[in-house]
Amino acid sequence: EQLRMETADFQRYDLSPDRRWMAAVVQATAGTELRIYDLRDGQQYTWLRGELIRQPLWSTTGQELMLAVRDTSRWAILRGAPGSGKLPDTLALFPADPTSPDPIDFHDPHSALAADWEGSVIFRFDPALAHPKLDTLLTGARFSSVSPNGKFLVYQALDGSRILVTSHPVPGRLWQLASGGVEPLWLSDSEVLYRLGITWYVVRINPATGESLGPPTLWARD
């Protein structure tokens, strides 16, 4: 089902929890733009422009966005409210190389994840702090996110591109959901969706333990 958005060179994007607002990074003539789309009436506006804008993430309230941007030689994690008319606040600054952590999961007001794609490291930080500390959570991992109930982490391991689940906030025992796949997503506390080639699969898990309840089943083909 096509959304009420114009055709553009879309990069990363996120839908607000109430499904009204779409925040999308668009490749522009010069650099990138972060556009906010109102899916109720089809209106849109550009909130930010920059050399490189990465994954935007809505807060649980749908009022704020967190994202990463690169400007010249610096990499920054920002947080702000598009509807406020104000520019976002800077939570953290890094040299552009070699470290460039991207926010990848905005689970709640005090818990967020960031990924260093070059080093395949997952960090946890408190986005409510003015200058949060990034604590290493996982290594050899990509595309990690916290389950809706906050008890588990799902991620794609570099080792064989396996889809794994472990406990949260302290990683513990590992459960393998699939021997190969990419970009796992939580559909609920008991379902994980992942992609393999052009095919998507769903794995049902025990929401109390994180263990899979059976083999992956076909969800759709792209």
Side-chain angles (χ1 to χ4, degrees):
E1 180 180 348
Q2 185 171 333
L3 300 179
R4 302 182 69 176
M5 299 162 62
E6 86 277 26
T7 300
D9 188 358
F10 293 108
Q11 307 296 303
R12 289 283 177 172
Y13 48 85
D14 194 32
L15 185 64
S16 64
D18 64 3
R19 301 189 180 190
R20 176 177 179 179
W21 304 98
M22 178 70 81
V25 177
V26 177
Q27 187 68 47
T29 303
T32 51
E33 297 179 354
L34 177 53
R35 300 177 187 174
I36 309 298
Y37 296 85
D38 187 339
L39 300 183
R40 290 185 183 177
D41 59 18
Q43 296 192 60
Q44 60 98 354
Y45 62 92
T46 298
W47 186 42
L48 294 173
R49 292 181 173 86
E51 176 186 341
L52 179 62
I53 302 176
R54 291 286 295 168
Q55 175 74 64
L57 297 171
W58 288 105
S59 64
T60 53
T61 63
Q63 301 297 314
E64 292 185 304
L65 279 173
M66 184 159 53
L67 63 146
V69 299
R70 186 178 73 193
D71 183 10
T72 313
S73 61
R74 296 186 303 174
W75 191 267
I77 296 177
L78 310 180
R79 179 180 178 177
S84 68
K86 300 178 181 178
L87 294 177
D89 296 323
T90 300
L91 295 182
L93 277 173
F94 312 91
D97 295 307
T99 302
S100 55
D102 278 353
I104 56 170
D105 187 52
F106 197 172
H107 185 260
D108 62 53
H110 292 280
S111 179
L113 302 182
D116 177 359
W117 300 106
E118 292 297 324
S120 298
V121 180
I122 305 297
F123 303 96
R124 182 176 56 233
F125 65 100
D126 184 347
L129 300 178
H131 301 288
K133 177 185 177 183
L134 273 65
D135 297 314
T136 299
L137 190 62
L138 296 169
T139 58
R142 292 187 170 191
F143 300 108
S144 183
S145 61
V146 182
S147 61
N149 62 14
K151 295 178 61 175
F152 299 103
L153 286 166
V154 68
Y155 65 96
Q156 172 191 335
L158 284 187
D159 176 18
S161 193
R162 298 182 296 156
I163 305 298
L164 302 175
V165 165
T166 189
S167 56
H168 177 266
V170 180
R173 179 170 182 173
L174 297 175
W175 296 104
Q176 179 173 296
L177 302 186
S179 58
V182 296
E183 299 192 53
L185 301 168
W186 293 98
L187 293 183
S188 68
D189 290 328
S190 60
E191 291 182 305
V192 171
L193 176 71
Y194 71 92
R195 180 174 61 83
L196 184 61
I198 62 170
T199 306
W200 294 83
Y201 296 91
V202 168
V203 182
R204 291 187 55 81
I205 69 170
N206 185 326
T209 66
E211 183 181 8
S212 66
L213 298 176
T217 59
L218 177 66
W219 187 73
R221 284 191 174 90
D222 185 357

